Amino acid sequence: MTSPGGGTGLDAGRTRKLIADVARSVIDAADELTALDAAIGDGDHGENMKRGFEAILADLDALSAMPAPELCRAIGAKLLSTVGGASGALYGSFFLALAKSLPVEPSRASAAAAFGDAVDAVRARGKSDFGEKTMLDVLIPVQRIFATGGDVVAIRQAARKAAEATIPILATRGRASFLGERSIGHMDPGARSSALMIDAICAQFGEE
Ligand code: ADP
Ligand code: MG
């Protein structure tokens, strides 16, 4: 893959489509994310994420022309300043850490390593780990599959299943943990938004 425009392994046109598709998939799911958060949180996850990704769409021209690390830094900064809530800080940390580790011309191995550093940044910021009914329940298994050579089909499937797997578990981090046993039986909103973003990214990389 060559990258005359973006440094994402995609040209500037495909980088633009990638950013736009990820943003639209989150924006289109705002009501669903809000409903999930209304069940076990405070009902703002959809609006929070929509605000962040609308800000990203508003800057699409400039973002599409950036090399991969700069693009990730700009997305992280935007999410930090616009999303709010726990997810704004956590997704912001994710993309800022990705920006630090990602080379301008990432190989699969260096992209997987950078993704691992970004997941570690969420762990550190959230003081959280796998199995606590958060976005990490999707990000961690996806990182493992990415690092061990899984293809986009396997990654998409794993992300969807991992979000669904948060339904029967008890939340021990974030707002949902305040509900105790009543958090059982609902999908975690951040796990769902992570799965949606991963799905949209994989859809783009699957189109060769
Ligand atoms: P808030 O909880 O502040 O209202 P959001 O509703 O936007 O923020 O985001 C909630 C999501 O953030 C949760 O569904 C969960 O996935 C994620 N989250 C919250 N706290 C943590 C944490 N400590 N570690 C990892 N993820 C977390
Ligand atoms: Mg919330």
Side-chain angles (χ1 to χ4, degrees), residues 8-9 11 26 43 84 87 104 113 122-123 147 171 206:
T8 49
D11 63 26
V26 173
S87 60
V104 172
V122 174
R123 272 196 179 100

Side-chain angles (χ1 to χ4, degrees), residues 11-148:
D11 63 26
R14 287 185 68 187
T15 300
R16 185 186 176 91
K17 185 172 184 314
L18 173 65
I19 301 165
D21 285 0
V22 172
R24 293 206 180 98
S25 78
V26 173
I27 292 167
D28 289 350
D31 289 349
E32 180 198 350
L33 296 173
T34 285
L36 292 174
D37 197 35
I40 59 168
D42 56 356
D44 64 355
H45 190 56
E47 277 310 307
N48 289 346
M49 295 296 283
K50 186 171 176 219
R51 195 165 51 244
F53 281 92
E54 279 175 349
I56 286 169
L57 279 184
D59 217 9
L60 196 51
D61 288 340
L63 292 171
S64 309
M66 291 177 184
E70 200 187 320
L71 170 62
C72 292
R73 192 171 308 111
I75 288 175
K78 248 189 213 313
L79 295 179
L80 264 182
S81 65
T82 57
V83 173
S87 60
L90 294 162
Y91 282 132
S93 300
F94 180 92
F95 282 98
L96 292 179
L98 198 57
K100 268 196 188 163
S101 299
L102 204 62
V104 172
E105 296 289 345
S107 62
R108 172 165 181 130
S110 60
F115 192 91
D117 291 345
V119 172
D120 286 346
V122 174
R123 272 196 179 100
R125 181 81 189 228
K127 298 181 175 58
S128 45
D129 214 325
F130 182 79
E132 296 180 304
K133 201 179 182 101
T134 73
M135 60 177 72
L136 283 171
D137 287 2
V138 168
L139 297 174
I140 289 171
V142 162
Q143 193 274 326
R144 275 198 209 114
I145 294 173
F146 191 17
T148 54

